[in-house]
């Protein structure tokens, strides 16, 4: 069996490659343009079961050729991260809309089961935590570029479900909630790698806003295992699932725990969102998944273990973790 992973050189994608190579005997083909991903994420893998193709998901004929040879597709390639979306709104929208449509169109030709990576961002600034999959979405104006990512991911979900309804494509959508772990870069505004790098350098940890906003963090190993299970469980097909661990942490508490675990002398500095992004920027206060649906269908959900995540991220960057 051969599996295509778009975005497989990225953070989550490369862990999914690891997982599939370890847990199955599949051939794995990665399509990635290495814009935010990196060959170094796959460099530890020395196997003829892995092939990497340098290309763009917006290239419809390339996607069609690769999907035609695949028995299953995981579509993770996307313009990712609030910073990327705010700084490059046009490219981000095009990648996240055209890329997904290309993948679904190609998969529909051979009825190839497909996983589509979506995001907790689709809930927007809804305050109805914890978020269940059928809940309403609440978005800001189109003049605030931050909502472009949520809108594109929601459109991807509509496309996926439309391809199921009209073209019988077996498809499953996973809404990732703050997936974290080794190989994630802080370069694009991700909070945990940024805090760990600041703490290890002895710099102040920069918390945006007053730091009381909460997030639910999920270890990437849990996320890729659930991703694989969702696509290989037919009861999960043609539906949307939260992929995240319940158990929110405030950004202030996160910063304090990073300082404790690294044994750093760093302080915490608060920076207004308007200074970090722009004056239209809106940041939701809370994000927590309702995982009942995931538990019903898979009999499991990710574990909320912040220290596991932090220790792994710190470990990757230093030999010494303080207990
Ligand atoms: P990532 O940036 O590490 O991975 C994205 C990958 O897609 C990268 O390897 C990048 O090079 C590749 N890519 C980007 N544009 C491309 C294009 N036009 N053609 C081919 N490849 C392209 O980010 P990630 O965190 O691993 O995200 C993977 C997926 O999960 C994305 O769809 C993202 O929207 C979704 N997601 C992630 C999180 C999270 O917490 N990390 C949360 C919600 C959703």
């Amino acid at each position: 069996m051969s599996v295509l992973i778009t975005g497989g050189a990225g953070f989550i994608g490369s862990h999914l490659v690891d997982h599939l190579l370890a847990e199955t005997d599949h051939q794995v083909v990665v399509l990635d343009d290495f814009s935010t991903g990196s060959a170094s994420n796959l460099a530890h893998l020395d196997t003829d079961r892995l092939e990497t193709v340098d290309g763009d998901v917006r290239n419809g004929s390339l996607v069609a050729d690769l999907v035609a040879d695949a028995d299953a597709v995981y579509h993770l390639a996307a313009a990712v991260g609030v910073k990327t979306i705010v700084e490059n709104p046009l490219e981000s929208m095009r990648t996240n809309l055209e890329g997904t449509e290309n993948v679904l169109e190609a998969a529909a030709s051979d009825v190839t089961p497909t996983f589509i990576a979506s995001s907790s961002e689709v809930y927007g600034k809804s305050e109805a935590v914890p978020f269940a999959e059928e809940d309403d979405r609440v978005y800001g104006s189109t003049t605030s570029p931050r909502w472009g990512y949520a809108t594109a991911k929601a459109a991807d979900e509509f496309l996926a479900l439309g391809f199921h309804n009209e073209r019988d494509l077996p498809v499953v959508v996973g809404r990732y909630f703050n997936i974290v772990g080794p190989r994630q870069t802080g370069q694009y505004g991700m909070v945990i790698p940024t805090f760990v790098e600041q703490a290890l350098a002895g710099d102040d940890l920069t918390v945006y806003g007053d730091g009381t906003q909460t997030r639910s963090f999920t270890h990437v190993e849990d996320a890729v295992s659930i991703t694989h299970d969702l696509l290989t469980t037919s009861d999960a097909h043609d539906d949307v699932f939260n992929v995240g661990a319940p158990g929110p942490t405030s950004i202030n508490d996160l910063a304090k725990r990073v300082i404790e675990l690294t044994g750093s002398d760093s302080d915490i500095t608060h920076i207004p969102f308007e200074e970090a992004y722009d004056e239209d920027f809106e940041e939701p206060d809370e994000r927590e998944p309702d995982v009942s649906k995931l538990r019903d269908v898979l009999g499991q959900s990710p574990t909320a273990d912040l220290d596991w995540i932090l220790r792994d991220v710190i470990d990757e960057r230093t030999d010494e973790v303080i207990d």
Side-chain angles (χ1 to χ4, degrees), residues 61 96 116 143 218 235 302:
S61 59
N96 295 356
I116 298 291
T143 55
T218 305
D235 281 354

Side-chain angles (χ1 to χ4, degrees), residues 6-14 31-38 41 55-58 75-81 95-96 99 116-121 149 153 174-180 183-185 188 190 218:
T6 73
F11 161 56
I12 301 176
S14 64
L31 170 63
D32 203 297
D33 71 352
F34 300 96
S35 50
T36 54
S38 164
N41 287 338
D56 194 323
V57 282
R58 289 172 297 175
H75 176 49
L76 276 69
V80 178
T95 296
N96 295 356
I116 298 291
S118 184
S119 168
S120 60
E121 276 281 322
Y149 179 64
K153 287 290 181 181
R175 288 182 184 159
Y176 291 133
F177 278 69
N178 287 85
I179 312 301
V180 204
R183 297 184 209 148
Q184 187 174 38
T185 160
Y188 307 103
M190 308 307 182
T218 305

Side-chain angles (χ1 to χ4, degrees), residues 151-214:
T151 302
K153 287 290 181 181
D156 289 347
E157 295 192 13
F158 280 118
L159 278 172
L161 297 171
F163 269 92
H164 163 68
N165 290 332
E166 295 188 32
R167 306 273 295 276
D168 293 327
L169 178 68
V171 71
V172 59
V173 174
R175 288 182 184 159
Y176 291 133
F177 278 69
N178 287 85
I179 312 301
V180 204
R183 297 184 209 148
Q184 187 174 38
T185 160
Q187 208 181 340
Y188 307 103
M190 308 307 182
V191 64
I192 287 185
T194 303
F195 280 180
V196 168
E197 280 160 22
Q198 288 171 330
L200 291 174
D203 297 336
D204 282 5
L205 274 62
T206 45
V207 171
Y208 298 150
D210 68 6
T212 57
Q213 68 273 23
T214 63

Side-chain angles (χ1 to χ4, degrees), residues 3 32 71 91 98 108 132 153 167 187 207 210 236 240 245 257 281 291 308 315:
V3 168
D32 203 297
D71 301 297
E91 279 293 289
E98 290 173 25
K153 287 290 181 181
R167 306 273 295 276
Q187 208 181 340
V207 171
D210 68 6
V240 176
R257 192 66 187 138
F281 194 81
V291 289
W308 174 32
D315 232 0

